[in-house]
């Protein structure tokens, strides 16, 4: 199973579709308002790490918790600093981050 790691904000419909398709979703963010947290919880997101200074540490914790490989992860970010946390950059030579 692939894990979809979503940072900061995302389209609610995409989250609903991913959850419905059986994906696990984790939110890892430095911020996150109570309203946004509630929205993710209401959508069924079980793992929310907010007010996190070291996103990579939260990511590592989640991967261990779910007993998955980093190669099974789809990692999404919404800002340039998120590139520093790309979990696959050290995991595989085949993984190439795409920045749009």
């Amino acid at each position: 199973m692939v894990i979809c790691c979503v940072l900061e904000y995302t389209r609610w419909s995409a989250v609903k579709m991913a959850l419905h398709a059986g994906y696990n979703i984790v939110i890892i963010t430095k911020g996150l308002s109570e309203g946004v947290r509630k929205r993710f919880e209401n959508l069924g997101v079980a793992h929310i790490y907010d007010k996190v200074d070291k996103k990579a540490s939260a990511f590592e914790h989640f991967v261990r918790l779910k007993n998955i490989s980093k190669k099974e992860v789809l990692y999404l970010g919404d800002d340039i600093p998120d590139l520093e946390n790309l979990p696959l950059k050290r995991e595989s030579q085949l993984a190439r981050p795409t920045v749009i």
Side-chain angles (χ1 to χ4, degrees), residues 15 20 30 66 92:
V15 173
H20 183 70
K30 288 185 175 187
K66 289 299 196 174
S92 169

Side-chain angles (χ1 to χ4, degrees), residues 44-63:
V45 176
H47 303 282
I48 302 172
Y49 298 82
D50 56 358
K51 299 176 185 147
V52 172
D53 285 327
K54 302 213 185 279
K55 293 180 181 180
S57 296
F59 175 79
E60 293 291 337
H61 177 266
F62 182 74
V63 168

Side-chain angles (χ1 to χ4, degrees), residues 24-77:
N24 290 299
I25 295 181
V26 59
I27 307 300
I28 303 173
T29 181
K30 288 185 175 187
L32 199 61
S33 70
E34 191 58 35
V36 174
R37 174 182 257 287
K38 276 245 187 256
R39 177 70 172 167
F40 279 118
E41 287 172 347
N42 289 340
L43 288 169
V45 176
H47 303 282
I48 302 172
Y49 298 82
D50 56 358
K51 299 176 185 147
V52 172
D53 285 327
K54 302 213 185 279
K55 293 180 181 180
S57 296
F59 175 79
E60 293 291 337
H61 177 266
F62 182 74
V63 168
R64 283 191 311 274
L65 178 73
K66 289 299 196 174
N67 194 29
I68 58 169
S69 164
K70 293 177 190 175
K71 293 178 182 178
E72 298 176 86
V73 174
L74 170 63
Y75 183 93
L76 304 173

Side-chain angles (χ1 to χ4, degrees), residues 80-96:
I80 297 298
D82 293 326
L83 292 174
E84 297 170 10
N85 297 306
L86 272 173
L88 296 178
K89 69 182 180 183
R90 293 175 299 273
E91 183 76 15
S92 169
Q93 292 299 327
L94 299 175
R96 299 284 183 249

Side-chain angles (χ1 to χ4, degrees), residues 6 8-17 39-40 43:
V6 183
E8 301 299 334
Y9 304 101
T10 187
R11 299 228 182 265
W12 306 121
S13 59
V15 173
K16 283 176 89 171
M17 290 172 59
R39 177 70 172 167
F40 279 118
L43 288 169

